[in-house]
Amino acid sequence: MDIPLDLARTLATVIDAGTFDAAARELAITPSAVSQRLKALETRLGRVLVVRSRPVQPTEAGAAVVRLARQLALLEHDALAALDLDASDAGRRVRIPLAVNADSLATWILPPLARLAAEHPIVFDLHRDDQAFTAGLLESGTVMAAVTSQAEPVAGCVVRPLGVLRYRAVATPEYVARRLPDGPAPEAFATAPVVYFDRRDDLQSDYLEQVGADPAAPPRHYVPASNDFATAVKLGLGWGLLPASQSQAELDRGELVLLGGPPIDVPHHWQQWNLRSPLLDAIADEIVAEAQSHLLQHPAPRAR
């Protein structure tokens, strides 16, 4: 049994667009025609391929077909490039879904993506998640590549090291004078408010454990956006761990101070589908080069 490529592409468009109406506009057909194509594909494969929610979600079978459609689009681009033909002339751009952690988005990864989008007929679909969880989006086929803390390659993927993002505990001088007047002693941290990114963020807990404090004791603020998280710390809402690129200028001006204790080093890796694709390799090369100029090239990063 074969999978009709036009039907597979229709399914991928529906998942990317989120609704049948939006997919119909992108495909320049009616929503009824989109529904008929998906019904024909489901009948042919004997599987339910989508959960008709808002947004539309693929089933496990549907995710496999979407992954096929994405791989074919990537290979089609590479074939056209090899023939000196430009897919963008026909108005087609390859959608590249990537999983990226919030701090990489806020600090270093957008400039290389902008350069790549200017050089190639591609559009990026970024999925934000913690670096400890982005590999799961690769496993499900949701994304083609991911920035992840996982060094072990996901099945069907290859991995390249990017470097280490180093975090340091900081707070405003006013916060320290008010909440930690005798220094960052373990007992003082028990009542000192701390800023967490979200409920899966464990950086601050790792730091507290390493300085001998109880991670469960301090009052917690949750600020689930990287730049807003940094702003919350700079405004004195609580102390938190920030990378140098989000804190060094304020440290130099005395607007933030280091709390002391060990830095927390988080290794970053690039994982991508194991396809012979010049386009995907070009994306990886650009990302790796940028990471090497922004992340510590630590020989043996300490795992979180």
Side-chain angles (χ1 to χ4, degrees):
M1 177 183 295
D2 63 342
I3 299 176
L5 302 186
D6 60 329
L7 300 186
R9 289 191 179 103
T10 298
L11 174 60
T13 302
V14 169
I15 298 304
D16 291 336
T19 67
F20 281 57
D21 288 345
R25 288 192 295 271
E26 188 167 332
L27 294 169
I29 58 177
T30 66
S32 176
V34 172
S35 181
Q36 289 171 12
R37 287 186 184 183
L38 288 192
K39 184 64 176 177
L41 185 58
E42 289 179 329
T43 299
R44 186 181 187 88
L45 298 178
R47 301 284 192 281
V48 175
L49 300 177
V50 297
V51 178
R52 287 164 170 78
S53 56
R54 293 184 70 89
V56 175
Q57 297 291 331
T59 64
E60 184 176 350
V65 178
V66 170
R67 185 163 56 249
L68 169 65
R70 298 200 198 287
Q71 291 172 343
L72 289 171
L74 192 63
L75 295 174
E76 181 183 43
H77 168 276
D78 293 336
L80 290 171
L83 295 170
D84 292 325
L85 299 174
D86 188 352
S88 63
D89 291 341
R92 295 194 302 273
R93 288 183 174 269
V94 182
R95 183 180 298 271
I96 306 292
L98 305 177
V100 185
N101 59 305
D103 286 338
S104 291
L105 272 174
T107 56
W108 65 271
I109 203 170
L110 288 177
L113 296 186
R115 293 194 296 269
L116 287 160
E119 296 169 5
H120 303 279
I122 56 179
V123 291
F124 289 107
D125 182 3
L126 300 182
H127 298 249
R128 191 192 70 187
D129 206 341
D130 184 88
Q131 61 273 356
F133 300 96
T134 48
L137 295 172
L138 271 174
E139 291 177 321
S140 68
T142 302
V143 299
M144 294 182 182
V147 175
T148 173
S149 59
Q150 182 173 319
E152 186 70 21
V154 171
C157 293
V158 293
V159 59
R160 295 170 66 177
L162 294 175
V164 168
L165 189 58
R166 173 164 288 179
Y167 293 81
R168 298 174 296 179
V170 298
T172 64
E174 295 78 14
Y175 176 92
V176 171
R178 185 172 71 256
R179 299 292 187 178
L180 303 169
D182 299 320
E187 59 274 13
F189 277 119
T191 58
V194 56
V195 183
Y196 275 71
F197 184 84
D198 59 22
R199 285 161 179 79
R200 295 194 299 183
D201 175 12
D202 58 8
L203 284 178
Q204 283 66 222
S205 295
D206 287 352
Y207 173 83
L208 288 168
E209 288 179 352
Q210 292 191 35
V211 299
D214 179 5
R220 297 186 181 190
H221 301 288
Y222 292 98
V223 184
S226 183
N227 286 322
D228 294 339
F229 177 100
T231 298
V233 174
K234 294 170 187 178
L235 290 174
L237 191 64
W239 68 270
L241 284 132
L242 293 177
S245 58
Q246 289 186 309
S247 58
Q248 191 59 54
E250 288 80 7
L251 288 166
D252 292 342
R253 293 194 298 264
E255 296 169 7
L256 290 175
V257 295
L258 293 172
L259 297 186
I264 302 295
D265 287 350
V266 180
H268 284 54
H269 303 273
W270 176 257
Q271 293 210 34
Q272 69 181 51
W273 289 349
N274 188 15
L275 293 176
R276 296 180 61 85
S277 167
L279 176 59
L280 201 53
D281 290 343
I283 293 170
D285 290 343
E286 193 78 22
I287 295 295
V288 170
E290 187 78 11
Q292 289 176 344
S293 66
H294 285 82
L295 304 182
L296 294 174
Q297 299 306 300
H298 199 295
R302 182 172 60 247
R304 283 175 60 179

